[in-house]
Amino acid sequence: MGFSQRGWSVLASLEKGAIEQRYPEKFRAGIAFYPLCQYASGITTGPVLVLIGDADDWTPSSSCEAMVAGRTELGAPRTPGDRSSIELVIYPGAHHGLIW
């Protein structure tokens, strides 16, 4: 579980790819509160719950929506794959760090 930058660490730790291949032990699940989703593929080794506010101007929810949909806001397509293990919850009117 991680908040903000540590939320991004949750996504990175559970993402399939280079980090995953380096370690035989894997996290079974993760919870990311208002993470930076812009650079994550959304293809994970286990289920991830992403909680973010739609009024967050530090880590925009639009990046997380794009990650889950397999789109990128960076101009290059994301890696094809299954993103069904990510659950995205967007809280209306919530700012960075104020989702409860």
Side-chain angles (χ1 to χ4, degrees):
M1 178 168 48
F3 299 82
S4 194
Q5 289 182 357
R6 301 319 171 254
W8 176 82
S9 296
V10 168
L11 294 177
S13 296
L14 282 151
E15 186 165 303
K16 287 189 177 183
I19 294 175
E20 170 218 5
Q21 294 169 5
R22 296 191 75 182
Y23 301 98
E25 300 294 324
K26 311 284 188 272
F27 288 104
R28 293 185 184 209
I31 302 171
F33 291 88
Y34 39 91
L36 178 64
C37 297
Q38 185 175 5
Y39 303 106
S41 74
I43 303 170
T44 62
T45 59
V48 179
L49 175 60
V50 176
L51 306 166
I52 195 163
D54 74 348
D56 189 336
D57 57 354
W58 288 13
T59 57
S61 62
S62 61
S63 293
C64 294
E65 289 176 301
M67 174 192 68
V68 170
R71 298 186 322 268
T72 183
E73 297 172 358
L74 301 175
R78 291 191 188 267
T79 307
D82 182 12
R83 292 168 176 84
S84 63
S85 62
I86 294 195
E87 181 179 347
L88 176 62
V89 177
I90 300 175
Y91 293 93
H95 296 272
H96 191 80
L98 300 173
I99 59 174
W100 41 81

